[in-house]
């Protein structure tokens, strides 16, 4: 699952997969803006066939947060 997430993050934020770690912060480390994050979340929802409510988005600050969220909501 981590490889799938890293691929989606890399594609949506225009960063190299090698630059993405579990500790990577979307805003600080990967320089994502709100539109980038919105598009990334849509891609994650499609990939994992789930819905991420907007009220949950603010808790997804790092790659690890996304991994945990998907594991807990599948």
């Amino acid at each position: 699952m981590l490889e799938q997430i890293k691929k989606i993050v890399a594609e949506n934020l225009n960063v190299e997969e090698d630059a993405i770690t579990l500790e990577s912060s979307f805003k600080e480390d990967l320089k994502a803006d709100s539109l980038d994050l919105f598009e990334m979340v849509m891609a994650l929802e499609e990939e994992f066939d789930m819905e991420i409510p907007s009220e949950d988005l603010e808790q997804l600050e790092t790659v690890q947060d996304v991994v945990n969220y998907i594991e807990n909501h599948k």
Side-chain angles (χ1 to χ4, degrees), residues 30-47:
L30 304 176
K31 309 297 185 216
D33 62 24
S34 55
L35 180 59
D36 293 330
L37 294 174
F38 178 75
E39 291 174 348
M40 182 189 72
V41 166
M42 288 184 56
L44 289 166
E45 289 177 330
E46 188 174 318
E47 177 72 27

Side-chain angles (χ1 to χ4, degrees), residues 4-27:
Q4 290 171 286
I5 292 171
K6 285 174 74 170
K7 183 177 181 203
I8 291 169
V9 171
E11 287 173 0
N12 284 274
L13 303 185
N14 289 324
V15 295
E16 294 293 324
E17 278 187 57
D18 295 345
I20 301 168
T21 67
L22 287 173
E23 295 80 31
S24 294
S25 163
F26 296 115
K27 291 182 179 174

Side-chain angles (χ1 to χ4, degrees), residues 38-70:
F38 178 75
E39 291 174 348
M40 182 189 72
V41 166
M42 288 184 56
L44 289 166
E45 289 177 330
E46 188 174 318
E47 177 72 27
F48 294 100
D49 193 29
M50 63 186 299
E51 188 172 323
I52 302 173
S54 54
E55 59 267 16
D56 290 349
L57 296 181
E58 54 196 46
Q59 57 185 289
L60 304 179
E61 296 178 6
T62 67
V63 175
Q64 182 70 64
D65 293 339
V66 171
V67 170
N68 294 344
Y69 186 89
I70 292 172

